[in-house]
Amino acid sequence: MAFAEKKRLLELSPDKIVPNPAQPRLDFPQDELLQLAESIRQNGVLQPILVRRDRDRYVLVAGERRWRASRMAGLKTIPAIVQELSPQDGAVLALIENMQRSDLNFFEEAAAIYALMQDRAMTQEETARRLGMSQPSLANKIRLLRLSGEEQRMVLENHLTERHARALLRMEDPEKRMAALKTVIERKMNVAQTDTYIKSLLEQEGQAKRPKRTFIAKDVRLFLNTIDHAVQTMKEAGIGAAFQRKETDEYYECVVRIPKSAAHKAS
């Protein structure tokens, strides 16, 4: 991935820095910011933030927590690396930083990737290449957004994994999927158990939808041939069966005679 290499390290006023509109992380817990602010008061900012120049201001690329906490700590300046980046490159770097630091849950990652693609008109292939992912992995990540907001909340609150979520996605009906999710949570299923459970539900659903096979005879001569074949089989077995068929304009008349005693067996 090739980004512009020209960089400068400056001390910038936090007021001249604005948040990245493409910031994938949306949740900044107040208690964590307060702890970080106190640490900054005591020790300063140990790692510079990354920004890009946009006219008379600077847009955050990475380090929004440090920037927010520095403002809370009352710092007049904050160390910042200014790098020449396009808005698209800045959005990509912001997402990569959060993914590498594990600051995003898998639903936030999926939403950030999708937003990046939409805002920057990037294809899945291009986005995957820029993020260092395979295209199938990226597609699977985005599929997670098919789960409703409530389903996503339940998955996260009950500490289910991304693989749990993917297994649930195999169920297309929202109501049945929600019922399955509740069962997975209630029974505290691991990933393997969830996979097996979802597979069994899908198999049951498939059997219920499978139509009953009905045979429609387009030619009654098929049945006549079947009768004739049955009589021939009996003859080969030594039974003197006989089959007579008469045809009229309206119907076929069939008579099958099967002897009751061995005396009437064919010789």
Side-chain angles (χ1 to χ4, degrees), residues 196-258:
T196 301
Y197 174 59
I198 296 299
K199 182 179 179 181
S200 68
L201 291 178
L202 291 173
E203 289 177 348
Q204 292 173 15
E205 184 177 337
Q207 291 173 359
K209 289 182 178 180
R210 190 176 301 158
K212 293 182 179 180
R213 296 183 62 183
T214 56
F215 181 77
I216 302 176
K218 296 183 179 180
D219 191 337
V220 295
R221 286 174 295 183
L222 291 174
F223 293 101
L224 296 175
N225 290 338
T226 300
I227 297 172
D228 185 59
H229 178 73
V231 172
Q232 291 299 323
T233 301
M234 285 187 284
K235 287 181 176 179
E236 292 172 0
I239 300 175
F243 173 41
Q244 293 181 347
R245 180 175 69 190
K246 183 172 69 175
E247 180 178 348
T248 70
D249 291 337
E250 297 180 357
Y251 55 83
Y252 290 99
E253 181 178 302
C254 301
V255 177
V256 178
R257 291 187 176 86
I258 302 174

Side-chain angles (χ1 to χ4, degrees), residues 69-109:
S70 295
R71 296 182 68 188
M72 294 174 66
L75 266 60
K76 301 300 182 183
T77 63
I78 181 172
I81 295 175
V82 183
Q83 185 170 355
E84 293 182 2
L85 296 167
S86 67
Q88 185 176 41
D89 287 343
V92 172
L93 277 177
L95 178 55
I96 291 174
E97 191 224 15
N98 278 282
M99 291 175 68
Q100 290 180 345
R101 289 165 57 90
S102 300
D103 283 347
L104 303 177
N105 64 55
F106 43 88
F107 291 121
E108 289 174 331
E109 284 186 6

Side-chain angles (χ1 to χ4, degrees), residues 139-157:
N140 284 333
K141 186 77 68 174
I142 293 176
R143 284 184 66 246
L144 295 172
L145 299 178
R146 288 173 49 196
L147 293 179
S148 68
E150 178 65 12
E151 288 170 323
Q152 293 180 28
R153 182 191 65 79
M154 292 171 64
V155 167
L156 294 175
E157 288 185 355

Side-chain angles (χ1 to χ4, degrees), residues 18-179:
V18 296
N20 186 349
Q23 164 65 261
R25 184 177 184 184
L26 303 177
D27 184 26
F28 294 90
Q30 188 71 7
D31 55 343
E32 293 182 9
L33 287 177
L34 289 171
Q35 291 179 12
L36 182 56
E38 182 59 30
S39 173
I40 288 174
R41 288 191 190 98
Q42 298 295 326
N43 307 295
V45 179
L46 301 181
Q47 181 181 359
I49 63 173
L50 178 63
V51 298
R52 64 178 177 85
R53 185 72 179 264
D54 183 18
R55 297 175 186 171
D56 60 345
R57 64 179 185 173
Y58 296 90
V59 179
L60 271 165
V61 174
E64 185 165 341
R65 287 179 70 251
R66 279 165 279 156
W67 171 71
R68 288 174 178 259
S70 295
R71 296 182 68 188
M72 294 174 66
L75 266 60
K76 301 300 182 183
T77 63
I78 181 172
I81 295 175
V82 183
Q83 185 170 355
E84 293 182 2
L85 296 167
S86 67
Q88 185 176 41
D89 287 343
V92 172
L93 277 177
L95 178 55
I96 291 174
E97 191 224 15
N98 278 282
M99 291 175 68
Q100 290 180 345
R101 289 165 57 90
S102 300
D103 283 347
L104 303 177
N105 64 55
F106 43 88
F107 291 121
E108 289 174 331
E109 284 186 6
I113 291 172
Y114 183 75
L116 177 65
M117 292 174 54
Q118 297 299 305
D119 293 344
R120 308 301 171 184
M122 297 168 65
T123 64
Q124 282 195 12
E125 291 77 11
E126 182 184 2
T127 305
R129 177 177 56 81
R130 298 290 296 274
L131 297 177
M133 303 172 63
S134 69
Q135 193 275 332
S137 295
L138 184 141
N140 284 333
K141 186 77 68 174
I142 293 176
R143 284 184 66 246
L144 295 172
L145 299 178
R146 288 173 49 196
L147 293 179
S148 68
E150 178 65 12
E151 288 170 323
Q152 293 180 28
R153 182 191 65 79
M154 292 171 64
V155 167
L156 294 175
E157 288 185 355
N158 290 278
H159 309 291
L160 300 183
T161 68
E162 182 173 341
R163 291 179 60 193
H164 281 96
R166 288 183 185 177
L168 289 163
L169 279 171
R170 294 165 60 192
M171 302 197 69
E172 296 183 0
D173 186 288
E175 293 185 2
K176 293 180 180 179
R177 188 170 62 225
M178 175 60 79

